[in-house]
Amino acid sequence: MTKFDKVKFVKALKTLPFPVAHTVFLEPQTAPYLIYLDDEYDVIAADSKSVFCKTIIVLELYTKGNQTDEFENIVEIFLDDFTTFEKSKSYIKEEQVYITYYKFEL
């Protein structure tokens, strides 16, 4: 298992076979695509001082129904190389896409 810092992680994300953006795409996308968020932190403190700060990453994978399993598999193989993650799913009826959330620490 390789430990990634945020810069290496973003570079590695761009090797995946679908568009990737930080927070939002500026142009409309057709599924599959991936958005990553990195604006949550877990700060560990001792003696009233911050000792260690972990960045919480959330990946949002958007897919059409018949693509979901295939592209989830790609993301999960990618993530398994360097971290453990939490996974959840939902469906956006208005856009007719599935969204799979992956949450983990860097």
Side-chain angles (χ1 to χ4, degrees):
M1 192 179 287
T2 305
K3 186 67 177 170
F4 277 61
D5 62 24
K6 196 160 42 171
V7 173
K8 288 180 183 176
F9 169 74
V10 171
K11 187 175 181 179
L13 265 182
K14 295 181 187 230
T15 66
L16 293 173
F18 32 80
V20 176
H22 180 254
T23 309
V24 66
F25 281 96
L26 299 177
E27 301 291 327
Q29 297 293 310
T30 302
Y33 60 92
L34 187 70
I35 293 175
Y36 70 95
L37 308 163
D38 62 353
D39 54 0
E40 186 179 338
Y41 302 93
D42 184 14
V43 178
I44 298 170
D47 297 328
S48 300
K49 294 182 182 180
S50 296
V51 177
F52 188 70
C53 181
K54 298 178 192 174
T55 303
I56 309 298
I57 303 290
V58 176
L59 296 181
E60 299 177 352
L61 174 64
Y62 295 81
T63 57
K64 296 287 184 183
N66 61 349
Q67 304 170 319
T68 303
D69 291 342
E70 174 187 356
F71 289 112
E72 282 181 358
N73 190 44
I74 290 169
V75 171
E76 290 167 18
I77 289 170
F78 171 80
L79 291 175
D80 281 342
D81 282 344
F82 68 93
T83 192
T84 58
F85 55 88
E86 297 175 21
K87 176 182 173 180
S88 61
K89 291 169 124 176
S90 64
Y91 182 72
I92 304 172
K93 186 176 181 178
E94 298 79 22
E95 297 180 32
Q96 297 183 342
V97 294
Y98 291 90
I99 181 169
T100 306
Y101 300 95
Y102 298 93
K103 186 174 183 177
F104 54 94
E105 298 174 348
L106 273 186

